[in-house]
Amino acid sequence: GGTVTDRDPSAVWDELAASGGLWAWGDEDGVAPWTDGGREVVPLWTAADRAEAESLADAEPGEGPVFLDVEALLEAIPEWVAAGVGE
């Protein structure tokens, strides 16, 4: 897991609107939740290079940035919550 690196979290909404989605970390099978302080979380980033900068050191083979458009995010979030993934 990582820490929030955006000084202004509202900027995430601006980027989401501009790009049509956000980046998560995963592989060809989908997003890979992280364990952070004993709970499952799904970090999201506004750019692939930011995801790599914060994730690459702990990556498993085959993992990398995964782009989730707004529709995919809206579909995935309830599934993550149902699976016990935190925010």
Side-chain angles (χ1 to χ4, degrees), residues 27 31-32 38 40 53-54 62 79 82:
D27 58 23
V31 173
E40 297 271 302
E54 294 185 29
E79 294 171 5

Side-chain angles (χ1 to χ4, degrees), residues 46-70:
T46 56
D49 59 342
R50 294 182 76 168
E52 281 190 355
E54 294 185 29
S55 306
L56 204 53
D58 297 323
E60 297 291 326
E63 289 184 347
V66 176
F67 185 75
L68 299 171
D69 63 24
V70 172

Side-chain angles (χ1 to χ4, degrees), residues 9-85:
S10 67
V12 171
W13 299 114
D14 296 337
E15 186 62 33
L16 174 63
S19 68
L22 295 173
W23 292 88
W25 194 256
D27 58 23
E28 64 187 24
D29 296 324
V31 173
W34 292 2
T35 302
D36 184 32
R39 62 189 185 114
E40 297 271 302
V41 296
V42 176
L44 298 170
W45 294 273
T46 56
D49 59 342
R50 294 182 76 168
E52 281 190 355
E54 294 185 29
S55 306
L56 204 53
D58 297 323
E60 297 291 326
E63 289 184 347
V66 176
F67 185 75
L68 299 171
D69 63 24
V70 172
E71 207 169 291
L73 283 166
L74 291 174
E75 199 173 289
I77 290 170
E79 294 171 5
W80 296 337
V81 171
V85 174

